[in-house]
Each structure stands twice: as structure tokens, then as C-alpha cells.
Amino acid sequence: MRCLVTGATGYIGGRLAPRLLAQGHTVRCLVRRASRLRDVPWAAQTEIVEADLRRPETLPAAFDGVDVAYYLVHSLGTAGFEAAERESAANFAAAARAAGVRRIVYLGGPEPAAGGKVPSPHLRSRAEVGRILLASGVPTAVLRAAVVIGSGSASFEMLRHLTERLPVMVTPRWVHNRIQPIAVRDVLGYLVGCATLPPQVNRAFDVGGPDVLTFVDMMQRYARVAGLRGRVVLPVRALTPSLSSHWVGLITPVPSSIARPLVESLIQEAVAGEHDIARYVPDPPGGLTGFDRAVELALVKIRNAEVETRWSTASGPDAPAEPLPSDPEWSGGTVYTDVREQVVAAPPAALWWVVEGVGGEHGWYSFPLAWSARGWLDRLVGGVGLRRGRRDPHHLRVGEALDFWRVEQLVPGELLLLRAEMRLPGRAWLELRVEPVEGGGSRYAQRAIFLPRGLAGHAYWNSLLPFHAIVFGGMARNIARTARRRTPRGCTVHAAEHPTDRA
């Protein structure tokens, strides 16, 4: 089928497109600026059409020949978003009907309960968009989901950062409302499955995971999965949605303009009233993904320090729910890095000779007292310290100890990745790279990576910031200087060979 995906530069659309491709569908992406998909690897397999849902004259080319059209856009965080979403949905519906589209699929929010609290503007707008599409004359499937659990989802990022940064928190009463979260992989499974619904199906479906929880439950269970201590939650009646959203905007990287409608939506309980979608799109063989497992998948990227997302892992049954290049900058949790580079007037082989020799009797090429003090401090708290040294003064192997590091990856002549084994409020890596430079010489690239755990992790990294220039900056400069001064005999061999092997 030929599928049109709107919102391909957004959270859900950016994950749906490669899954549709994997199922053998032809994908066309409707975007306002094609340049936003320039660095997305799967985009080369799609057709990209520039159009604007608020300018109906731009839409016919995008809808021409389309079988299934996905409506995955919203104006959350912009002024007057209700009117903007109403206009966009009406234009989308008209263009789909005129082009003879056979199916519309829309991902919306939970239906406000009848007789309940006045729905938030966000939920009210989501429901209105669904009604416009259902009345379009094109068979439409509206999927109504509450909180989507996956790295990059605004709701999940709000949950993640509140839980990680606040071991004790003052909360409003709405944190005790019931919510039925759903893993992003299950949402995407339903979206893909809806492409082949029978033509007579024109209705909304509630979609949710197997767990019904309160927001407090989700914070405590997130903490447990992330290896944090249980959080202390103190409810306070006086916290209005407006005050809560400002607090969320201060503590988390989610912008207040997005946090406010999300917080307002949580005032309404969001529990699925039916599971009729399973009659048309069966649940996965192992069942829908539970909350804890969804969080584990969202944290895979963080725990593995995969700072660059691999989209190719996104379509498999065990794919992590990690960020994509098209996600907002605040997606994916906190990854602190310190990056240093030096251009070295020495062959790559000479530079690699120094890199592979770090640690042990050679030391770490900067501020020896600081490294020694860190080693003693680690031993005082029960860590390994620097006492392990290294097995061989010149050669390393994957898996062996190197002072308070462990060699996690080794590409001779190119890459040394060390995983920290000292006691830390988080996880840390040190990446050392050697690259040839056109015209001679080489480039030394050094990156320290730290994934904080809880508030202590953030405090730890920020407390050491004043010393980074001395420790990490000095290390990069001195490794480069040593490579220039101590070029061993035989350094002109191929970089993959260790220079001392030819000395």
C-alpha cells in the first residue's frame, strides 16, 4: 500500500515510517521542510513532499495515489493551538476525500469521561480532531492513547526527569489519578495494523497497556527499574496545574509550553473503556508490553551509552524505545559529555602507540595528583581504585582491567573505549579515537561520557566541571605532545599494527 505519513519529523511519525517500510509499504512523508529529514537514514527510502496542512492548495500532490493517510501532527505548545488543529484536521479530511484515500488513521488522546471534570484544552482538541476525521467520509480509525512510554515521548521525559532529579517531591493531587500507559512499540503495532482494517470500520478505539497505575505508581516503578531508591512523595492541595507546569518546566528539559497541557491532561483519569482493537489487530504473541518492560526498553539507549541512535534497530520486536535524530533536543534523558580534539603532527601509528599505552605505569597524562586522589577516594568507598594497573605496558585486550576502567571496545589503530568501574552515581565511559588527517598527521578525539543516576549523579558531574579543563583538556594535550616527541621506530607502518612490534 502507499501510505502518507504526516508528522514524520515528530515522535510517533518518525518511528512509524521505518516500520511501514519494513512491512513492504510505500511511504510518502508530508513535511513543511524537507531539510528536517535530511539526516534521517530511512528518509532516502521514502518520497518526501513539502506541504502545509493549513494551506489546502499545497495538499493535492501529497495525497495523490495514497491508500492510507496517517494524521500524526499537533500544534501543542503554540498559541491558539485548538483553532490551528481544527483547521489542519478539516483540510486533511477534505484532501483525503478528494483524492479517494481508502483509510485515515489518527492517534489521539483519551476520551474525556462523561460527567467528569471539564477536559483540558489539549484533550478537548484531540477529541475534536478525531470527530472531524470520523466525519470526513473516509473510513477512519482513531486510536485513543494516554501516556506513551518510550524515550523521546514528552510524557515519558517528564516522568523520567522528575523521578531522576527529585528523590523527595511535593506533588498535586492529580498524581493519584489512574492512568493506563502504553509502550510506544504497542502503539506503533496498532498504527501499522490499522492500515489493513476492513473498509466498514469507522470508529474510535481505546488503546492501553496491561497496567493501570497512578502517576505516583509510575514514578516509583520507574525508580525501581532505573536502579534508584524509592521516591518520597508529599501531596499538596495548593499546587494548581499552572503552578505544576512551571515546576515541571524548571526541573525537566520539557518546555513549559508543552508541560502545561500535559499536566492539565493528567487531571482527568485515563483508563481504557474497551479493547475492541484486538478484534482487528491482535495483541503481540507475548501480550502487550507491561510498564516495567516498557521503561527498560526506553532505558536501553542510556544504559548502553549509545549516544547516536541507530534507526535500523527500531523495527524489530525487541527494538529499544530510544530517541531518533528527528526528536527534540530534550529527548532521551541526560547524557553529559566532555569532548576534546587535537590535530597531531605525527602519524596515526605513533599516536595510537601512546593511546594504547595509557594507564598503569604510564599514567593518564594529566594532573597525576588528581587521578591518584580519585583512586584513593574510590578505595575508601569500597571501589577498586587504581591498584589494578594494566596487564601489559603496551598492549590491551577487550575485557581486561585498566586501573579503575575496563576495556569495553578495542579497534587497533582506531578506537579504545573504556568503561568506568569506580564507584559512581551513574555510569561513565572514556572514548579515545585516532584518525588520519589528509596530507599527513593525525587527529586525536577524546570523549568522556557520563550517564547520571538520580540527583546525586547530576550533582557529581556539575561539581567536577571546573576541573574538566585541567584533567580532560590536559590529557588530550599531553597525549598529542607525547606522540609528537616519542615517535617510535617503525611508526610509518599501517596504523592497525602496533609500532613497537616493528621496532
Side-chain angles (χ1 to χ4, degrees):
M1 289 187 177
R2 181 177 295 277
C3 300
L4 176 68
V5 177
T6 63
T9 59
Y11 177 63
I12 294 295
R15 288 156 175 77
L16 176 63
R19 284 167 171 79
L20 291 171
L21 289 169
Q23 292 295 314
H25 298 298
T26 300
V27 176
R28 179 184 294 163
C29 298
L30 186 160
V31 294
R32 281 183 292 180
R33 293 187 301 276
S35 60
R36 293 193 59 189
L37 289 177
R38 181 183 55 200
D39 298 325
V40 179
W42 51 257
Q45 301 178 48
T46 69
E47 180 186 356
I48 300 174
V49 176
E50 288 191 340
D52 188 338
L53 290 178
R54 298 188 68 183
R55 295 173 56 206
E57 70 277 7
T58 67
L59 300 181
F63 283 82
D64 183 45
V66 167
D67 299 304
V68 181
Y70 287 90
Y71 190 90
L72 303 172
V73 295
H74 64 75
S75 303
L76 196 64
T78 61
F81 72 88
E82 288 188 85
E85 292 197 347
R86 188 183 307 116
E87 180 183 0
S88 295
N91 291 339
F92 180 96
R97 182 174 59 251
V101 171
R102 292 189 285 176
R103 163 71 54 193
I104 291 174
V105 183
Y106 165 58
L107 178 64
E111 182 74 6
K117 296 182 177 68
V118 176
S120 70
H122 170 51
L123 289 185
R124 188 170 60 227
S125 177
R126 299 279 77 193
E128 184 176 12
V129 168
R131 288 192 293 270
I132 291 171
L133 298 178
L134 286 168
S136 65
V138 177
T140 297
V142 174
L143 302 182
R144 299 188 296 217
V147 173
V148 176
I149 303 299
S151 189
S153 158
S155 298
F156 178 75
E157 296 302 337
M158 188 171 74
L159 170 70
R160 183 211 299 268
H161 287 91
L162 285 174
T163 306
E164 290 189 350
R165 297 184 177 184
L166 297 175
V168 179
M169 62 189 85
V170 178
T171 61
R173 288 177 296 173
W174 54 256
V175 299
H176 296 286
N177 291 342
R178 296 183 307 152
I179 303 167
Q180 192 166 351
I182 182 169
V184 66
R185 58 165 52 191
D186 293 332
V187 171
L188 293 167
Y190 286 138
L191 287 169
V192 172
C194 282
T196 55
L197 286 176
Q200 69 272 18
V201 175
N202 185 65
R203 57 162 292 185
F205 297 94
D206 289 343
V207 294
D211 302 308
V212 176
L213 307 165
T214 66
F215 200 82
V216 170
D217 293 334
M218 291 196 293
M219 288 190 289
Q220 299 292 17
R221 289 173 67 165
Y222 177 97
R224 184 169 66 247
V225 173
L228 304 171
R229 294 180 179 178
R231 281 15 210 164
V232 178
V233 177
L234 305 173
V236 173
R237 287 176 173 270
L239 277 177
T240 64
S242 178
L243 289 174
S244 297
S245 62
H246 285 300
W247 175 243
V248 170
L250 178 66
I251 298 300
T252 82
V254 180
S256 295
S257 59
I258 294 177
R260 177 161 186 164
L262 293 177
V263 168
E264 291 174 340
S265 300
L266 292 171
I267 296 174
Q268 184 85 37
E269 289 202 334
V271 178
E274 41 83 12
H275 189 51
D276 296 348
I277 187 66
R279 300 200 323 238
Y280 304 99
V281 184
D283 293 343
L288 295 170
T289 309
F291 177 82
D292 291 359
R293 177 59 177 156
V295 171
E296 288 176 359
L297 291 166
L299 296 181
V300 164
K301 171 257 186 184
I302 294 299
R303 289 179 173 170
N304 290 340
E306 295 178 356
V307 179
E308 299 298 328
T309 297
R310 295 196 307 267
W311 80 270
S312 58
T313 66
S315 58
D318 296 316
E322 58 189 13
L324 296 180
S326 56
D327 286 347
E329 293 181 358
W330 43 261
S331 302
T334 301
V335 180
Y336 291 119
T337 60
D338 183 280
V339 179
R340 311 278 170 169
E341 286 193 0
Q342 291 281 321
V343 175
V344 187
L351 178 56
W352 179 253
W353 180 78
V354 180
V355 167
E356 194 177 4
V358 296
E361 63 186 49
H362 299 148
W364 293 90
Y365 292 93
S366 72
F367 203 180
L369 180 61
W371 287 93
S372 179
R374 185 64 184 86
W376 280 106
L377 177 62
D378 192 53
R379 292 186 65 179
L380 284 175
V381 296
V384 297
L386 292 172
R387 57 187 171 182
R388 298 187 301 188
R390 54 180 294 155
R391 174 190 56 83
D392 182 278
H394 301 297
H395 300 276
L396 292 172
R397 294 188 303 215
V398 172
E400 71 180 16
L402 176 58
D403 291 335
F404 46 40
W405 304 91
R406 178 80 57 183
V407 180
E408 187 163 280
Q409 188 177 358
L410 179 68
V411 180
E414 299 178 16
L415 168 67
L416 173 61
L417 180 64
L418 304 174
R419 184 183 73 248
E421 293 193 336
M422 72 280 280
R423 294 293 183 90
L424 291 169
R427 302 186 70 191
W429 289 260
L430 183 61
E431 180 185 84
L432 314 179
R433 287 186 179 272
V434 174
E435 303 170 352
V437 173
E438 187 175 354
S442 52
R443 177 180 292 103
Y444 172 68
Q446 172 185 298
R447 181 171 63 154
I449 306 165
F450 182 64
L451 311 180
R453 183 175 64 247
L455 186 61
H458 295 278
Y460 173 82
W461 177 267
N462 287 290
S463 68
L464 294 178
L465 278 177
F467 303 100
H468 285 184
I470 300 173
V471 176
F472 294 131
M475 182 178 177
R477 289 190 299 272
N478 291 329
I479 283 178
R481 185 178 299 120
T482 302
R484 288 194 297 267
R485 291 179 177 176
R486 298 173 61 183
T487 302
R489 182 163 53 89
C491 67
T492 57
V493 300
H494 190 275
E497 299 180 39
H498 197 287
T500 56
D501 293 339
R502 297 282 300 274

